[in-house]
Amino acid sequence: RDARVLLADIMDTVVVDPFFHAGIEDFFGLTARELYKAIRPGVWLQFERGELDEQAYYTQFFADGRGVDGAALVAWMRPRYRFVDGMEALLAEANGAGIEVHALSNYPVWWRVIEDELCLSRYLQWRFVSCMTGVRKPDPGAYTGPLETLGVAAEQCLFTDDRAANVAAAEAVGMHGHTFADADGLRIKMVQLGWLG
């Protein structure tokens, strides 16, 4: 089918990630170094793949077994989710140009909190979030799965992500790729492809 499809990472591409940019260590009362040393290895990846539900994640978050108040953590994050500068306008422009936009993101069920706060579904479909697909970028299946689901060819797709390794993996399956730095750079890439004027 004839299509132009933007597959967009969400965290630090469309939405600012509060876990890394809003002082999460203050919530826990730890320095960043203390916090990351105390987290149980691998548990975040399991949460992102949907292998752990929220309650199990909060129970297993710390290696020493102390729990996390999940409701308080989500309440802390909720108002700190915000659009990356310029991205809301660019997504609206893409929609107006007839470009399909889908999330292709490594993220847990917290995507629903983002949706509640920012209503990203005005601009994109939450089709390919790792907690729903069970596959994380840069696994090749994270990219070939959407192609099969959408019934499009790789060259009809532009994938953007702030992590170069994830972009390289998309390019390896034949997609156009763009390592995200800011909305202006992404727009320039879309103009170069002839998707925007």
Side-chain angles (χ1 to χ4, degrees):
R1 67 187 178 90
D2 184 36
R4 294 165 298 158
V5 179
L6 176 62
L7 296 166
D9 173 51
I10 298 300
M11 305 317 297
D12 289 336
T13 300
V14 176
V15 174
V16 175
D17 190 342
F19 221 89
F20 296 103
H21 301 293
I24 188 68
E25 57 272 14
D26 295 339
F27 172 83
F28 289 106
L30 299 168
T31 66
R33 176 174 285 189
E34 289 169 340
L35 175 61
Y36 290 108
K37 190 175 179 182
I39 291 173
R40 186 188 304 271
V43 72
W44 174 252
L45 303 186
Q46 291 179 287
F47 189 34
E48 280 196 330
R49 288 192 299 262
E51 295 163 7
L52 294 177
D53 64 20
E54 272 190 274
Q55 197 50 54
Y57 175 66
Y58 301 138
T59 301
Q60 298 180 40
F61 184 90
F62 284 113
D64 63 10
R66 69 188 126 144
V68 170
D69 184 338
L73 176 58
V74 170
W76 181 89
M77 291 191 298
R78 182 179 290 276
R80 291 170 172 83
Y81 285 119
R82 61 180 175 82
F83 281 98
V84 170
D85 289 348
M87 281 304 293
E88 185 173 14
L90 182 57
L91 292 176
E93 183 181 5
N95 289 168
I99 297 166
E100 286 183 39
V101 187
H102 299 269
L104 177 47
S105 188
N106 293 344
Y107 213 58
V109 292
W110 292 341
W111 71 266
R112 296 179 184 135
V113 183
I114 300 173
E115 174 62 18
D116 287 345
E117 287 300 297
L118 301 178
C119 197
L120 260 64
S121 58
R122 289 173 293 161
Y123 309 112
L124 58 78
Q125 295 186 55
W126 290 100
R127 295 287 294 275
F128 309 112
V129 182
S130 60
C131 68
M132 293 189 272
T133 65
V135 185
R136 292 181 77 259
K137 301 168 295 185
D139 186 301
Y143 309 94
T144 57
L147 295 178
E148 293 166 9
T149 299
L150 297 173
V152 296
E155 58 269 20
Q156 294 174 293
C157 299
L158 169 62
F159 172 73
T160 186
D161 193 304
D162 60 307
R163 293 176 182 261
N166 291 342
V167 175
E171 291 173 334
V173 303
M175 292 181 181
H176 300 285
H178 175 74
T179 303
F180 184 86
D182 54 41
D184 289 343
L186 176 56
R187 190 183 188 285
I188 288 168
K189 178 67 174 185
M190 294 168 80
V191 170
Q192 289 171 344
L193 290 173
W195 289 16
L196 293 177

